Amino acid sequence: MTAIPVTIGTRVPEAERMDAAPGAAPALVDTFGRVHRDLRISLTDRCSLRCTYCMPEQGNEWLAKSSILTLDEIVEVARVAAAAGITTFRLTGGEPLLRIDIVEVVRRLAALRTDAGSPIEIAMTTNGIRLPEALPGLIEAGLSRLNISIDTLRREKFHTLTRRDRLDDVLEGIAAAAASRLRPLKLNAVAMRDVNDDELVDLVEFAVAHDAQLRFIEQMPLDAGHTWDRSRMVTREEILAALSERWRLDPMPGRGGAPAERWLLDGGPHTVGVIASVTAPFCGDCDRLRLTADGQLRNCLFSTSEYDLLPVLRGAADRDAGIDAVLRACVRGKLPGHAIDDPSFLQPVRGMNAIGG
């Protein structure tokens, strides 16, 4: 695959690739000098919604139960990843709150430490439906941050988009998160033409009212049906143009490896973010790896190849060394960019629910 041109960050000096802790393993640095600090861990491919841009309503082929990583296996991979420099674990799905041991997952991961001895940050991306009952236990277990998906505030549209009548449940989940101490609280919305492009301002005002940051996401070619059409995508520039009619947008510096560009609304304190993976890719500063629910490591959301950890987890004599070797092979194989704009681009076979957000 030929990657699209991207700006690659400055190559990290050799001295900085080693953590200061005595005996620490080399950091996870790819061939372009990008240091990897973030591991997205998918806990399941199942979901309580059926969003049209993610998965079909019927006929889904779910992962075999026997292939889903156990709690102990997740923790084993996470412990080795932390020793190699990972500082943030983001729990995703599918819908991570469908995992019956979700509180224990958070508790076990939060007990880990980075290679420098610091606490690991535990974040989660959820549709919010089970948050009211689950949130107290998650916070007590060590959850640090939350992202909640909400693409529309209109009941009929929500039902059509998700094929489920669960808007009230999502709103209750957001209210519970807003009432908690978890900050920053982020609300994610995929911007879609003729679906919710007339709600962009409404969604931001809703987020501000809940002391949350709205983050708009350009629709990406990650649907299980492979029906993505670039001409139907609402671009970064269109999103900003619509918001500029309501607020003055002041760009915020210091983005680093974060996927979202952020702007202050009328000078602050509230902000809005845009994740423009298609029209303004941020591959050059990407610091993320992904672990699927069935034990496959991915170095890019759009990768067409995976690195299988199951044989190591369920058969290797020295599992720690084996996990570390697969992690490093995955990082070494990372391309400079995702190549969406290249004629040779191939959409991943897996849908977003099976890859993990």
Side-chain angles (χ1 to χ4, degrees):
M1 180 187 298
T2 303
I4 60 172
V6 295
T7 301
I8 298 295
T10 304
R11 185 174 295 277
V12 178
E14 186 66 31
E16 295 180 24
R17 300 185 194 190
M18 298 290 294
D19 194 274
L28 295 170
V29 185
D30 67 16
T31 58
F32 301 95
R34 296 171 293 196
V35 181
H36 292 73
R37 298 291 190 186
D38 186 309
L39 178 63
R40 312 280 167 113
I41 301 175
S42 177
L43 301 180
T44 178
D45 62 332
R46 308 280 178 136
C47 189
S48 41
L49 301 177
R50 294 292 183 274
C51 297
T52 56
Y53 55 79
C54 183
M55 58 199 298
E57 182 175 13
Q58 304 291 342
N60 293 286
E61 294 185 9
W62 306 113
L63 295 173
K65 187 175 181 180
S66 60
S67 71
I68 301 294
L69 295 184
T70 66
L71 172 58
D72 286 342
E73 289 169 339
I74 292 169
V75 174
E76 195 165 8
V77 174
R79 178 174 52 78
V80 175
I86 295 295
T87 59
T88 299
F89 298 128
R90 174 170 294 280
L91 305 178
T92 70
E95 172 46 52
L97 293 181
L98 292 182
R99 179 108 178 191
I100 60 173
D101 58 355
I102 181 61
V103 172
E104 193 59 23
V105 171
V106 171
R107 189 183 312 281
R108 295 274 301 273
L109 293 180
L112 298 176
R113 290 296 178 264
T114 68
D115 51 344
S118 303
I120 292 283
E121 185 173 57
I122 311 298
M124 180 184 294
T125 297
T126 173
N127 61 29
I129 288 177
R130 291 196 61 236
L131 270 182
E133 63 265 31
L135 194 53
L138 293 170
I139 293 174
E140 186 275 331
L143 185 68
S144 310
R145 290 191 289 114
L146 265 179
N147 289 16
I148 305 174
S149 300
I150 176 76
D151 296 319
T152 178
L153 300 170
R154 299 175 187 172
R155 184 176 311 283
E156 233 177 80
K157 193 182 295 185
F158 185 94
H159 196 175
T160 299
L161 180 61
T162 67
R163 290 119 164 189
R164 299 291 188 270
D165 187 14
R166 305 297 299 272
L167 178 60
D168 286 344
D169 297 317
V170 174
L171 295 179
E172 287 176 15
I174 292 172
S180 78
R181 60 177 172 79
L182 296 183
R183 293 296 186 276
L185 174 62
K186 299 175 182 178
L187 306 184
N188 294 343
V190 177
M192 293 164 279
R193 195 172 308 284
D194 300 329
V195 176
N196 63 353
D197 54 343
D198 60 341
E199 287 187 79
L200 304 185
V201 168
D202 293 343
L203 284 163
V204 174
E205 290 180 335
F206 174 82
V208 168
H210 287 79
D211 192 27
Q213 175 197 136
L214 201 294
R215 305 196 315 169
F216 291 108
I217 304 171
E218 287 184 339
Q219 190 172 359
M220 297 175 281
L222 290 168
D223 59 302
H226 291 202
T227 60
W228 180 79
D229 180 355
R230 182 175 182 131
S231 68
R232 302 291 299 161
M233 182 186 74
V234 181
T235 67
R236 168 187 180 275
E237 294 307 315
E238 291 176 282
I239 294 168
L240 295 177
L243 299 183
S244 294
E245 295 184 6
R246 169 63 176 81
W247 296 279
R248 186 183 82 248
L249 302 180
D250 299 319
M252 295 186 66
R255 177 182 180 183
E261 296 175 86
R262 290 192 300 153
W263 288 264
L264 287 169
L265 299 171
D266 287 341
H270 297 292
T271 64
V272 66
V274 178
I275 300 176
S277 299
V278 179
T279 65
F282 41 89
C283 307
D285 291 309
C286 180
D287 64 353
R288 290 170 294 286
L289 298 173
R290 285 176 167 79
L291 176 65
T292 68
D294 59 345
Q296 307 299 307
L297 272 174
R298 300 174 63 90
N299 53 33
C300 177
L301 192 56
F302 302 97
S303 178
T304 55
S305 59
E306 298 177 333
Y307 296 76
D308 193 357
L309 278 170
L310 279 185
V312 175
L313 290 167
R314 300 179 181 180
D318 187 348
R319 290 198 294 273
D320 282 12
I323 294 167
D324 186 76
V326 176
L327 276 168
R328 296 183 188 283
C330 181
V331 170
R332 284 195 305 272
K334 190 164 183 169
L335 296 173
H338 54 48
I340 287 178
D341 284 337
D342 193 278
S344 66
F345 175 77
L346 296 174
Q347 184 172 338
V349 174
R350 293 184 189 247
M352 187 67 167
N353 68 299
I355 293 173

